[in-house]
Amino acid sequence: MMTTPAERTGSAILALEALAVLLVTGWEIVALVTGDTDDVVSSIALIVLTAIGAVALAAFAAAVWRGHSWGRSGGIVSQLLILAVALGAITGPTPSVSTALVTAIPAAIGLVALVVAARTVAARRDDERR
């Protein structure tokens, strides 16, 4: 089965987001090692959860690339969560429009690509049934 341009776009965005979250994990590890944390146990928990998020995004990217519906579903949920983070960046106690835009623009593009991919696959399946 050939992947569509929407699936390739969604997969690429998910992969880039996985890389970004992996970089955040590395930043958290550096902060822990250099003593730039208040609570070691909480820092370790955050590192583990961030790493799990990076792995999940990478798995969604691979699944979307291969045309699996669970990858699209997980990717759509991930994009919605990332958009929520972007909203928090603009409405929080120290609003940052640039951070919100850098976070929201790829997530919005990824969300649109994944929804288009899901609709394309559904239309293809409907055509095959007829």
Side-chain angles (χ1 to χ4, degrees):
M1 176 193 264
M2 218 39 198
T3 58
T4 64
E7 286 173 311
R8 290 190 295 272
T9 301
S11 179
I13 289 174
L14 286 166
L16 289 172
E17 289 169 346
L19 180 61
V21 173
L22 190 61
L23 290 172
V24 170
T25 305
W27 179 33
E28 293 169 348
I29 291 170
V30 168
L32 177 65
V33 171
T34 59
D36 191 22
T37 59
D38 291 333
D39 185 2
V40 173
V41 174
S42 293
S43 295
I44 292 171
L46 184 59
I47 290 167
V48 169
L49 290 174
T50 308
I52 289 170
V55 170
L57 285 168
F60 296 151
V64 169
W65 187 264
R66 292 183 179 132
H68 297 296
S69 65
W70 65 267
R72 289 188 301 274
S73 300
I76 288 169
V77 171
S78 298
Q79 299 316 296
L80 292 172
L81 291 171
I82 292 168
L83 286 169
V85 169
L87 180 63
I90 202 168
T91 60
T94 55
S96 173
V97 174
S98 60
T99 300
L101 288 175
V102 166
T103 306
I105 290 172
I109 294 168
L111 179 63
V112 169
L114 291 168
V115 169
V116 168
R119 292 180 56 87
T120 302
V121 169
R124 187 183 319 145
R125 286 186 185 147
D126 285 345
D127 288 343
E128 290 173 359
R129 289 182 190 154
R130 293 178 192 181

